[in-house]
Amino acid sequence: MLVVYVVDSTVSAWSAVYLRQTLAASLTVAPMAYAAYQAGTVVGRASVDRLVQRVGTVAVVRTAALVVAGALAGMAMAPSWPFAVLMAGVVGLGASVLAPLCLASAARLRPAASEAVLARLNLFNYAGVVSGGAVSGLLGSTGEFRLAYAAPAALALFVLAGARHFTQPPRTSGT
């Protein structure tokens, strides 16, 4: 959860500034990265259930982590603002499926106390939003906005290490 919200905060808070200051996008174009990120988020959330049913939770988490890492690296190395906008949309697509899958898996750890588990897990939302925005802003203020996207790309790879721990709901004989 922490990684998801670090990524979310980085793209949400700083993508327009990154496009404007680093990639010389106009004031009119600069917000497009955030819009693309949000569009990717909508598509990702709308398709996650179907993907999990088709290929399983672990495969979706691994793929999403690779997509997020690759797209953030793409943003960090973007040669132009249109490419960065495209990559922001891909980041949204991948990152948006991780939070609900993490929450669902955590709730299945202790079904009798799922509310308590989810409440504790939500602390990582706050930590991720604050740290992602702050670290990205700090890197950006030094003129290193490319690093502000490369750092969470590396963090997204850590999700791969934990992907095998994402539990899947029990399958019924009818599905």
Side-chain angles (χ1 to χ4, degrees), residues 27-38:
L27 286 173
T28 307
V29 167
M32 289 178 69
Y34 180 65
Y37 173 75
Q38 288 300 312

Side-chain angles (χ1 to χ4, degrees), residues 9-175:
S9 180
T10 298
V11 176
S12 298
W14 298 105
S15 60
V17 178
Y18 172 60
L19 261 64
R20 181 82 175 123
Q21 290 183 0
T22 304
L23 300 175
S26 69
L27 286 173
T28 307
V29 167
M32 289 178 69
Y34 180 65
Y37 173 75
Q38 288 300 312
T41 298
V42 169
V43 173
R45 291 272 170 99
S47 60
V48 68
D49 291 336
R50 201 169 292 125
L51 284 170
V52 167
Q53 289 173 351
R54 184 166 293 166
V55 298
T57 304
V58 173
V60 171
V61 169
R62 285 183 177 144
T63 301
L66 288 171
V67 165
V68 168
L72 284 168
M75 283 188 78
M77 298 181 295
S80 63
W81 68 260
F83 186 81
V85 169
L86 175 65
M87 290 297 101
V90 176
V91 171
L93 188 66
S96 66
V97 305
L98 292 172
L101 292 178
C102 186
L103 291 168
S105 290
R108 284 190 293 272
L109 289 174
R110 292 183 46 207
S114 62
E115 293 88 6
V117 170
L118 294 175
R120 288 183 190 119
L121 187 59
N122 269 325
L123 293 174
F124 290 100
N125 297 7
Y126 304 114
V129 167
V130 170
S131 63
V135 171
S136 298
L138 182 63
L139 290 170
S141 71
T142 65
E144 298 297 330
F145 264 119
R146 290 189 185 275
L147 255 174
Y149 290 96
L155 279 179
L157 293 175
F158 284 111
V159 175
L160 284 174
R164 64 187 164 90
H165 299 290
F166 279 72
T167 58
Q168 295 181 339
R171 295 186 185 259
T172 59
S173 59
T175 58

